[in-house]
Amino acid sequence: MTVLPTTEPAVLRGSLRDQFETFLDEHRAHMHACLDGLTDEQARRSLVPSKTTLLGLVKHATFIEKVWFDEAVTCRPRSEIGIPETPDESFDLTPGDTVESVQRAYREACAASREATKDLGLDDLVRGNRRGPLPLRWVYLHMLRELAQHGGHADILREQILDGARGRA
């Protein structure tokens, strides 16, 4: 006979916001870790016709953090934030982009995202997005979708780079 636990995991006892943030942080950690153990050359390797590389995916994840948690929350323009105008440009790599520098930028962007929203409620409107005012709940759901999609891309690319070695970093 299987005995079910009498208490729920902590994440289930938390608020809906706690649950959103737990899942966001899990996806963020996965994106960050997709570069672990790779050389800069491996991380830059292009395996598909688009600009998508593992290094470019994490650079793009940094971009979307800044779009959704800086631009949308603070209403600052992209030029002031220092990010490209279009998502496509966010995959562009410069000679100075390394595994270390891109992971550091991503960690910093995620920390800034947490800081920017710490005093907001899920129903509070953020007004700096090009779509118009949106509730923070919508932003969290959008980010979960983005990170899940790109995390899947990262898994496939990493598997190809490591000659079929499977599993997450």
Side-chain angles (χ1 to χ4, degrees):
M1 176 167 95
T2 303
V3 177
L4 298 176
T6 57
T7 60
E8 300 169 330
V11 70
L12 296 179
R13 289 191 306 271
S15 68
L16 181 58
R17 182 184 175 132
D18 292 338
Q19 293 170 17
F20 278 143
E21 289 178 353
T22 296
F23 280 102
L24 268 174
D25 282 342
E26 286 176 3
H27 285 291
R28 288 167 170 156
H30 175 66
M31 285 303 301
H32 183 276
C34 78
L35 297 173
D36 288 351
L38 297 180
T39 65
D40 291 338
E41 181 183 348
Q42 287 172 314
R44 288 174 166 275
R45 192 167 164 203
S46 178
L47 300 165
V48 294
S50 69
K51 295 181 188 181
T52 307
T53 63
L54 278 174
L55 199 61
L57 275 171
V58 179
K59 194 169 180 182
H60 174 71
T62 302
F63 168 81
I64 61 176
E65 287 284 339
K66 291 180 177 189
V67 165
W68 290 104
F69 295 110
D70 191 340
E71 180 182 38
V73 173
T74 68
C75 301
R76 294 188 316 149
R78 292 180 185 192
S79 59
E80 184 179 319
I81 297 168
I83 57 175
E85 283 301 312
T86 68
D88 188 54
E89 293 171 281
S90 71
F91 286 91
D92 292 343
L93 299 176
T94 68
D97 288 330
T98 64
V99 169
E100 181 183 341
S101 71
V102 170
Q103 281 183 317
R104 180 178 53 253
Y106 187 53
R107 280 192 309 272
E108 290 169 359
C110 293
S113 295
R114 288 183 203 96
E115 182 66 23
T117 59
K118 72 179 183 184
D119 296 326
L120 298 177
L122 290 177
D123 295 322
D124 287 345
L125 295 179
V126 297
R127 301 184 181 280
N129 186 267
R130 295 173 180 191
R131 289 176 176 88
L134 298 166
L136 183 61
R137 171 189 325 272
W138 193 96
V139 171
Y140 278 9
L141 288 168
H142 180 80
M143 283 298 295
L144 284 168
R145 183 185 74 186
E146 284 263 355
L147 292 174
Q149 175 183 358
H150 294 314
H153 297 151
D155 285 343
I156 292 167
L157 291 175
R158 187 174 169 91
E159 186 175 327
Q160 289 178 312
I161 289 167
L162 297 176
D163 295 325
R166 295 180 50 174
R168 292 185 171 200

